[in-house]
């Protein structure tokens, strides 16, 4: 049976575990450092996963913004063309231009 001093365990609990398993102080410190390093590795794995999700979201949003910008430009060009033809027809009807 092996028990480790996890990061959630208090420092006061580690000596009790060490006495129960008859560990030397150096072994207790090594176990604590091992648990700490495992915790850091797990945190980095979680951060990497979150970074990948954020990157995917960012790329998706960028693509949507690009398509919306293209759609907006097409609408503006269409409206500008319609406005030119409409005004030309209006001024021809008023006999201001030929």
């Amino acid at each position: 049976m092996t028990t480790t001093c996890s990061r959630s365990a208090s420092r006061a609990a580690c000596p009790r575990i060490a006495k129960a398993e008859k560990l030397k102080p150096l072994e207790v410190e090594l176990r604590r450092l091992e648990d700490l390093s495992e915790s850091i590795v797990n945190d980095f794995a979680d951060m990497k996963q979150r970074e990948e999700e954020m990157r995917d979201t960012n790329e998706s949003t960028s693509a949507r913004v690009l398509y919306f910008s293209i759609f907006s430009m097409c609408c503006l060009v269409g409206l500008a063309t319609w406005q030119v033809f409409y005004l030309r027809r209006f001024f021809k009807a008023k006999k201001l231009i030929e």
Side-chain angles (χ1 to χ4, degrees):
M1 177 177 143
T2 60
T3 327
T4 59
C5 300
S6 66
R7 187 167 52 159
S8 60
S10 66
R11 281 188 164 254
C14 286
R16 285 188 303 213
I17 293 171
K19 284 181 182 178
E21 293 184 9
K22 298 181 180 163
L23 297 175
K24 296 178 183 174
L26 185 58
E27 291 173 329
V28 172
E29 185 65 18
L30 284 174
R31 280 203 179 171
R32 190 183 69 77
L33 290 174
E34 182 182 10
D35 290 340
L36 183 62
S37 66
E38 285 178 19
S39 165
I40 291 171
V41 168
N42 290 337
D43 288 345
F44 274 122
D46 291 342
M47 288 190 330
K48 184 176 180 179
Q49 177 66 31
R50 279 186 275 164
E51 186 268 334
E52 289 173 359
E53 291 172 1
M54 294 283 197
R55 186 176 356 100
D56 291 342
T57 302
N58 188 20
E59 290 172 359
S60 167
T61 304
S62 294
R64 289 180 188 170
V65 167
L66 175 68
Y67 294 136
F68 182 74
S69 297
I70 291 170
F71 174 74
S72 295
M73 291 300 292
C74 291
C75 287
L76 287 174
V77 168
L79 277 172
T81 305
W82 173 79
Q83 193 174 31
V84 167
F85 285 123
Y86 178 81
L87 288 174
R88 182 178 288 164
R89 191 176 46 209
F90 174 78
F91 287 128
K92 279 185 183 179
K94 293 288 183 176
K95 307 234 189 240
L96 295 173
I97 62 170
E98 288 185 25

